[in-house]
Amino acid sequence: ELLCAEPNLLSRHSKAYGKLRATTLNNLACCYRGMNQPHAALKYWKQTLSLQESLAGGGRNDFHTAGTHLNLAELYGSTGFHHGAFRHAQTAVAYLLRRFDLKGPPASASAGNAAAAATERGEWSRTGVSLAQREIHQLLLQAATSGARRRKLALLVAAFERLAASL
């Protein structure tokens, strides 16, 4: 927090400042979650998500945004708010699938809500989070690559697990 407040360190309008601030807020949320203070964690993860979405531009930031959605899904799931857990897990899966060149994520939060509504109506295939056999094979091939890629695939697996648990 002090580093983010230091005026001579980074310009408040730079992308680096936004990333540092998002990381700081995410770390605070993790600390509050660890101290069993879910409301404080929720506050900081929502701020983190807002910053990450304002920094959107694809690339590596998608993994961070997906991770924040997954953190929110876990938090909501642990507090019994399964609809919120489902919505955030679904968004995390969509972002990760886009990064693996399998599907596109929702263009906006309203698109994510539309996908959630479609799922509630039983239109699972239209949500953009299902995988065909060809896509599963492609992911298995990618899993045989570098350790960094495997860690990113593990995030995708965790997102699918959270999505299933929410259902």
Side-chain angles (χ1 to χ4, degrees):
E1 280 288 290
L2 290 174
L3 284 174
C4 288
E6 180 60 42
N8 297 326
L9 182 64
L10 296 168
S11 165
R12 288 191 180 263
H13 304 290
S14 72
K15 195 170 188 173
Y17 172 81
K19 287 181 178 183
L20 175 64
R21 181 84 177 136
T23 300
T24 301
L25 292 170
N26 181 65
N27 290 342
L28 284 169
C30 290
C31 288
Y32 280 111
R33 174 75 169 110
M35 294 186 303
N36 200 26
Q37 295 184 24
H39 288 92
L42 178 64
K43 172 185 147 186
Y44 285 110
W45 271 324
K46 283 186 174 185
Q47 290 177 22
T48 301
L49 194 56
S50 176
L51 264 173
Q52 287 170 332
E53 289 175 348
S54 72
L55 296 169
R60 293 176 51 174
N61 193 51
D62 281 351
F63 286 111
H64 297 293
T65 305
T68 302
H69 277 290
L70 188 54
N71 285 335
L72 283 163
E74 290 290 336
L75 180 71
Y76 280 134
S78 71
T79 58
F81 184 53
H82 300 293
H83 179 74
F86 173 80
R87 187 170 44 86
H88 283 288
Q90 185 178 41
T91 304
V93 167
Y95 270 103
L96 292 166
L97 289 178
R98 179 179 107 174
R99 287 301 298 144
F100 288 108
D101 298 322
L102 298 173
K103 305 274 186 207
S108 67
S110 61
N113 292 338
T119 301
E120 288 173 4
R121 292 190 306 266
E123 300 170 359
W124 177 257
S125 62
R126 295 183 191 170
T127 64
V129 297
S130 59
L131 292 174
Q133 186 65 33
R134 181 183 98 278
E135 294 165 328
I136 292 170
H137 180 70
Q138 182 181 347
L139 285 171
L140 289 172
L141 290 175
Q142 290 181 37
T145 62
S146 73
R149 193 67 162 179
R150 271 184 290 220
R151 285 189 299 278
K152 290 173 181 173
L153 282 168
L155 185 62
L156 178 61
V157 169
F160 269 115
E161 286 176 345
R162 180 72 259 175
L163 184 63
S166 299
L167 288 171

